[in-house]
Amino acid sequence: MLLSYIVVIFSLLMGGIVIISSIQQNEEKELRIRSMNTARTVAELTDVRNAIQEPQGWESLDPIIEEISVINGTDYIVVMNMERIRYSHPVKERIGKVSQGEDEKAAFAEHIYFSKAEGEIGTFIRAFVPIKDAELNQIGVVVVGNKIPAFLDIMMNVSKDILFIVVLTLLFGLLGSILLANHIKKQMFQLEPYEIKRMHEERIATFHAMNEGVIAIDNKEIVTVFNDKAKKIFNVKGKFVGQPIRTVLADTRLPEIVERDQAVYNEVIQVSGKVILSTRVPIHKDDELIGAVAIFQDRTDVAKLAEELTGVKNFVEALRVQSHEHMNKLHTIAGLIQLGKPEKALQLAFEISEEQEGVTKFLHEKIKNDALAGLLLSKVGRGKELGISVEIDKNSFFSTFPNQLDQHDFVVLLGNLIENAFGAFEQVGVEDKKIELSIEQNENVCALLVEDNGAGIEEAYLPRIFDKGFTMNKSEGTGYGLFLVKQIVEKGNGCIEVSTDKGGGTSILITFPMEMGAI
């Protein structure tokens, strides 16, 4: 509030200075014209011409010039002959004396001009006009001087007007300042500027102190918040507030929130090559979308640990299944021995060994990722427990994950597809239960195929099988298996093809480009 008063008073002061300076300039112009007109009039008077040609002419001329000065309101009029002897002067002692002035030399050469001279009482504007006789011969010079009003003099002359203007302007200025200040304060929730500054600093400090990365944009995709944790997560440096988000980080998916006006919670995405848990929410004010904010948590290390744990879990599951299977077969061998049939017992032992060695060797040679090999080995064993034959295509091969995907994604993908295939046999009486797997890969495409001869999917359910929470197994299904599959496929820019026959089985083919954008 005080600042607004100071601004009004300062503006009023500067305006007054400008106005008075303008008045001073106008006064000077008017004095120039008046001085020149008076000088010309004096130079044309016959009495002046006659007097300056007489030796004591000043005795008759000075009273005339003094009267003319009073009538025309000039400060002084000086008349000199060609010998520079003064015939009139405001200081009577100087009459009859020779002038020693330098700026009047041009006037004795028939020049008409103005000059400014600094005196003891101020600055004077002086007009110089030559005096000529009837034959137009120069016989003298007239100098008319008028004092230019000083700044303070003008103020004194217009003091009443200025006082009225000042009071009126100050009154309206202060009233306007009060109304403007109250309006601004209302817009700022009745907060003072120092309080707004403190809140802004606290807000910025809070964002930077958070352990999660925070990025916010406005509805034009311009960055408004980019905290230190976000810079650390994405390994970037600099000040990004005010820049388009797409030029800072191209894959934050924040612009999608502004376009769709829909929140996304706890989604795992990859940004700048890192596994990120992201929550992205639109920002509204008075039902108007004004931007979006994202909270990021770096899950790269956690994902790596999960991959390792997943691999261990798959191998443990495979070992558990194998242990259970071997225990049953050992009981069979022991029974054969007890029945006195050692040859059959030995033959069975060789068959079991060759079978197990063949599966393990195949997975070791064809599947170059231990976690996937362990997963497939465990699912083969799991199928045997359930009475389902899990067959892996002999031409299968896998060595490298597609772009944007990792070990964890493939374990979740294959695991859920195979488990869904197991579930397809729960309510169907098929004697020869079979699941066929195929993993093929070249430099362009990675393809996964899972086929079963189970119950199949009703045509009415097909549009919904990838929806979150949808399941056909009401007793044990969670509705998340195929939903996760769809998310991983979208993450890898892949395609899903589902072929099904009610009562005849289901085939799911998933293809991924080995380079993003290839499909």
Side-chain angles (χ1 to χ4, degrees), residues 185-462:
K185 197 169 183 180
K186 184 179 179 181
Q187 296 294 316
M188 297 299 177
F189 304 101
Q190 302 299 324
L191 296 174
E192 295 293 339
Y194 73 90
E195 294 176 309
I196 297 172
K197 177 177 178 291
R198 185 184 64 198
M199 288 180 61
H200 177 71
E201 291 173 346
E202 290 175 353
R203 171 179 172 269
I204 296 299
T206 301
F207 278 128
H208 289 307
M210 294 178 66
N211 195 40
E212 291 82 17
V214 178
I215 301 177
I217 61 173
D218 61 18
N219 54 9
K220 296 181 180 178
E221 300 183 9
I222 302 300
V223 176
T224 57
V225 175
F226 203 112
N227 74 346
D228 290 340
K229 186 64 177 181
K231 295 177 183 178
K232 185 176 180 181
I233 290 175
F234 301 120
N235 195 27
V236 292
K237 294 180 180 180
K239 295 182 179 179
F240 304 117
V241 174
Q243 298 185 29
I245 185 62
R246 296 180 190 268
T247 63
V248 179
L249 292 171
D251 47 2
T252 60
R253 301 194 186 179
L254 257 179
E256 297 177 8
I257 305 302
V258 175
E259 294 169 1
R260 300 176 183 175
D261 195 11
Q262 291 181 349
V264 176
Y265 298 96
N266 299 323
E267 181 183 26
V268 178
I269 62 175
Q270 283 204 351
V271 182
S272 298
K274 292 196 172 185
V275 179
I276 302 296
L277 180 65
S278 170
T279 292
R280 305 183 299 283
V281 181
I283 304 172
H284 293 91
K285 181 183 178 182
D286 299 330
D287 296 328
E288 180 184 357
L289 179 68
I290 62 172
V293 62
I295 299 176
F296 299 101
Q297 292 179 330
D298 191 352
R299 286 290 185 265
T300 304
D301 294 336
V302 175
K304 289 180 180 177
L305 180 60
E307 290 172 7
E308 294 175 5
L309 292 176
T310 301
V312 172
K313 180 181 177 182
N314 289 333
F315 281 117
V316 169
E317 177 66 15
L319 290 173
R320 184 196 67 78
V321 172
Q322 286 184 14
S323 175
H324 185 268
E325 183 180 353
H326 282 301
M327 185 62 69
N328 291 333
K329 291 178 178 178
L330 283 175
H331 289 163
T332 303
I333 293 171
L336 290 172
I337 294 173
Q338 289 177 357
L339 293 172
K341 297 180 179 180
E343 295 83 4
K344 288 188 177 182
L346 185 60
Q347 182 182 356
L348 180 59
F350 279 128
E351 290 175 358
I352 294 170
S353 176
E354 288 177 1
E355 178 186 355
Q356 190 60 42
E357 184 180 350
V359 174
T360 305
K361 182 180 179 182
F362 169 78
L363 292 175
H364 178 72
E365 291 177 352
K366 298 293 187 178
I367 307 300
K368 302 300 183 180
N369 180 270
D370 294 339
L372 286 184
L375 172 70
L376 295 175
L377 188 60
S378 67
K379 295 305 180 183
V380 170
R382 173 68 173 157
K384 290 180 180 180
E385 284 186 333
L386 298 174
I388 302 171
S389 174
V390 179
E391 299 178 1
I392 303 173
D393 186 358
K394 300 302 181 182
N395 295 318
S396 293
F397 177 79
F398 179 85
S399 62
T400 307
F401 292 104
N403 259 337
Q404 304 296 324
L405 300 181
D406 52 30
Q407 173 179 293
H408 175 71
D409 294 323
F410 260 60
V411 168
V412 171
L413 187 71
L414 273 173
N416 278 293
L417 289 176
I418 296 171
E419 284 298 323
N420 272 314
F422 286 154
F425 296 103
E426 290 182 358
Q427 298 179 353
V428 64
V430 179
E431 294 183 4
D432 184 18
K433 299 178 181 179
K434 184 185 298 184
I435 296 175
E436 295 181 356
L437 305 177
S438 175
I439 305 175
E440 296 184 11
Q441 186 178 56
N442 57 33
E443 60 183 9
N444 297 318
V445 177
C446 178
L448 311 177
L449 177 64
V450 179
E451 293 182 312
D452 66 72
N453 60 346
I457 304 172
E458 293 185 14
E459 186 175 349
Y461 291 155
L462 276 176

Side-chain angles (χ1 to χ4, degrees), residues 130-151:
I131 303 173
K132 297 183 179 182
D133 59 14
E135 286 77 26
L136 300 180
N137 297 315
Q138 185 174 0
I139 57 176
V141 171
V142 177
V143 181
V144 177
N146 282 292
K147 181 185 176 184
I148 300 174
F151 191 86

Side-chain angles (χ1 to χ4, degrees), residues 38-275:
T38 302
R40 289 181 183 277
T41 300
V42 171
E44 295 293 331
L45 292 176
T46 303
D47 292 340
V48 173
R49 293 175 180 175
N50 294 334
I52 64 172
Q53 297 184 64
E54 297 177 2
Q56 300 288 327
W58 56 76
E59 293 179 356
S60 61
L61 182 59
D62 185 62
I64 297 173
I65 296 301
E66 189 173 345
E67 184 178 353
I68 293 173
S69 178
V70 172
I71 292 172
N72 287 274
T74 59
D75 287 309
Y76 65 82
I77 300 176
V78 178
V79 178
M80 297 175 285
N81 65 8
M82 295 302 290
E83 285 76 30
R84 298 195 177 190
I85 296 174
R86 301 184 184 95
Y87 276 70
S88 70
H89 198 280
V91 181
K92 303 307 178 183
E93 291 77 9
R94 297 181 181 179
I95 295 176
K97 302 293 191 307
V98 177
S99 173
Q100 303 296 328
E102 293 294 328
D103 60 346
E104 59 217 26
K105 288 183 180 180
F108 286 98
E110 299 187 4
H111 289 287
I112 299 173
Y113 59 93
F114 294 99
S115 75
K116 279 186 180 181
E118 294 288 341
E120 295 180 358
I121 59 174
T123 303
F124 286 81
I125 187 77
R126 304 195 300 174
F128 294 84
V129 175
I131 303 173
K132 297 183 179 182
D133 59 14
E135 286 77 26
L136 300 180
N137 297 315
Q138 185 174 0
I139 57 176
V141 171
V142 177
V143 181
V144 177
N146 282 292
K147 181 185 176 184
I148 300 174
F151 191 86
L152 292 177
D153 295 334
I154 297 175
M155 283 190 64
M156 295 300 296
N157 291 334
V158 296
S159 58
K160 291 183 179 180
D161 295 334
I162 288 178
L163 182 62
F164 175 75
I165 293 172
V166 166
V167 171
L168 191 64
T169 305
L170 189 62
L171 179 64
F172 281 102
L174 293 179
L175 180 61
S177 297
I178 293 172
L179 294 175
L180 179 62
N182 288 336
H183 175 72
I184 293 175
K185 197 169 183 180
K186 184 179 179 181
Q187 296 294 316
M188 297 299 177
F189 304 101
Q190 302 299 324
L191 296 174
E192 295 293 339
Y194 73 90
E195 294 176 309
I196 297 172
K197 177 177 178 291
R198 185 184 64 198
M199 288 180 61
H200 177 71
E201 291 173 346
E202 290 175 353
R203 171 179 172 269
I204 296 299
T206 301
F207 278 128
H208 289 307
M210 294 178 66
N211 195 40
E212 291 82 17
V214 178
I215 301 177
I217 61 173
D218 61 18
N219 54 9
K220 296 181 180 178
E221 300 183 9
I222 302 300
V223 176
T224 57
V225 175
F226 203 112
N227 74 346
D228 290 340
K229 186 64 177 181
K231 295 177 183 178
K232 185 176 180 181
I233 290 175
F234 301 120
N235 195 27
V236 292
K237 294 180 180 180
K239 295 182 179 179
F240 304 117
V241 174
Q243 298 185 29
I245 185 62
R246 296 180 190 268
T247 63
V248 179
L249 292 171
D251 47 2
T252 60
R253 301 194 186 179
L254 257 179
E256 297 177 8
I257 305 302
V258 175
E259 294 169 1
R260 300 176 183 175
D261 195 11
Q262 291 181 349
V264 176
Y265 298 96
N266 299 323
E267 181 183 26
V268 178
I269 62 175
Q270 283 204 351
V271 182
S272 298
K274 292 196 172 185
V275 179

